[in-house]
Amino acid sequence: MVLLNQIFSLILFFGFNSRIISLAPSITDFLIKLNLENFIVGKTYLDPDFIKAEVVLPSSMKVSKEKILNLKPTHIISAGLIPEEELYYFKKSGIKVLDFKYENIFSVIETYIVLGKEFDIEEKALKELKSFLDTLFLFKNIKDNKRVLFILDLTNGVWCPGEKTFIDDLIEWTGFDNISDFFEGYKIVSIEKILKEEPDIVIFNFKNGFEAIKNTPFRNLKPIREKKFYEVPDPDYFSRPSPFLIRALKFLSKIE
């Protein structure tokens, strides 16, 4: 398989003249899966070192227009991290701009299809998509509707995912019930509301979650008392809508 991927990359290299700027780690994940990583000329600060490209999106999350233009990209691909007015600037400069929005798992399917068509590698994209879907459906409704409190962060409140979010879709896909799906997007939920909803399970999207809440009213939650709380090994599991989202589903599948 490694040899086949190398051969595929060589074929692309000699018949492919795209220069790609990736403005999201999830996009870079897709490009790697599709053997397009050698055509990335600009990347984010979160992308792996083996991607030999200029960092155009630093930790400040402010792109340098001059740096990007100097790289002479044919494509700029984003995933909602960059303001639309900045992307429009690059469109006016004659660069093909793709900006993906991720609200659910099936947005990943769209990304495979769009990138396959854009770079004329539809056969490769469909092959990878089939493999992704085959694995994805192994985790469909494997749980029994237990109620989950998913805590993203505790900065100035309890941040949770609501409806029309990627995390909510992952939770619901496996058969769990997200107790914070009574709003859209990501918001702060009051402790009173959480206590009233009575979750069966608590998932922390960060390390040392129990230590952070043990001296708060959260200690009265049944799943905390009964040690039914879990910590995600890596926040990227749930925050990065890419082909590697399977890691999040595998994590959920092990929760009892």
Side-chain angles (χ1 to χ4, degrees):
M1 181 60 70
V2 173
L3 179 59
L4 286 175
N5 286 339
Q6 291 175 341
I7 293 172
F8 184 81
S9 296
L10 286 172
I11 292 171
L12 281 175
F13 184 79
F14 288 106
F16 196 77
N17 60 1
S18 291
R19 296 174 59 82
I20 304 169
I21 300 282
S22 173
L23 294 180
S26 58
I27 296 301
T28 302
D29 287 346
F30 279 104
L31 296 173
I32 292 170
K33 270 290 184 182
L34 296 174
N35 299 125
L36 296 173
E37 66 270 24
N38 291 333
F39 305 100
I40 301 174
V41 295
K43 65 178 185 176
T44 78
Y45 76 101
L46 292 169
D47 287 322
D49 292 338
F50 72 81
I51 302 295
K52 304 303 181 184
E54 189 84 19
V55 174
V56 296
L57 184 63
S59 57
S60 66
M61 301 303 288
K62 294 182 179 179
V63 299
S64 167
K65 294 177 181 177
E66 182 179 2
K67 180 181 286 188
I68 287 178
L69 292 177
N70 284 341
L71 289 171
K72 295 180 172 52
T74 57
H75 294 78
I76 293 177
I77 310 177
S78 182
L81 297 180
I82 306 300
E84 290 187 6
E85 57 269 22
E86 292 194 29
L87 294 177
Y88 182 67
Y89 169 85
F90 294 117
K91 285 182 182 179
K92 290 195 301 181
S93 301
I95 302 168
K96 182 65 177 287
V97 175
L98 300 173
D99 189 25
F100 294 95
K101 309 296 183 186
Y102 294 100
E103 292 184 350
N104 53 53
I105 292 174
F106 287 100
S107 302
V108 172
I109 296 174
E110 178 191 10
T111 308
Y112 271 118
I113 294 171
V114 171
L115 292 180
K117 289 183 178 179
E118 181 64 33
F119 296 108
D120 197 24
I121 52 169
E122 291 178 83
E123 184 176 348
K124 171 67 175 175
L126 290 175
K127 180 180 178 181
E128 291 293 340
L129 176 56
K130 182 183 183 303
S131 176
F132 170 80
L133 291 174
D134 287 345
T135 306
L136 179 67
F137 277 93
L138 293 176
F139 299 97
K140 180 66 172 172
N141 293 328
I142 60 172
K143 295 299 179 178
D144 55 0
N145 296 313
K146 286 185 178 179
R147 296 166 57 73
V148 171
L149 168 64
F150 192 99
I151 302 177
L152 278 166
D153 194 15
L154 291 171
T155 303
N156 300 320
V158 185
W159 286 90
C160 299
E163 283 190 319
K164 295 187 177 180
T165 63
F166 187 68
I167 294 175
D168 176 67
D169 206 42
L170 288 170
I171 293 170
E172 301 280 347
W173 181 266
T174 56
F176 284 127
D177 182 19
N178 176 23
I179 71 163
S180 59
D181 63 357
F182 52 86
F183 60 85
E184 292 185 6
Y186 299 96
K187 294 182 181 179
I188 292 175
V189 181
S190 70
I191 293 179
E192 293 76 17
K193 177 67 173 175
I194 291 170
L195 291 172
K196 183 179 178 181
E197 291 292 331
E198 295 186 299
D200 300 305
I201 295 165
V202 175
I203 298 176
F204 298 101
N205 202 41
F206 49 88
K207 297 292 186 182
N208 302 315
F210 176 72
E211 293 298 316
I213 58 91
K214 68 179 182 180
N215 295 320
T216 73
F218 272 115
R219 67 181 181 274
N220 297 316
L221 282 174
K222 182 179 177 181
I224 298 299
R225 297 197 313 268
E226 297 183 352
K227 301 188 184 303
K228 292 289 186 179
F229 56 86
Y230 304 83
E231 294 180 358
V232 178
D234 185 337
D236 280 351
Y237 280 22
F238 285 86
S239 62
R240 189 178 293 191
S242 82
F244 302 117
L245 66 83
I246 299 300
R247 298 177 300 184
L249 297 177
K250 286 181 178 178
F251 167 79
L252 290 172
S253 74
K254 295 176 182 177
I255 292 176
E256 299 296 335

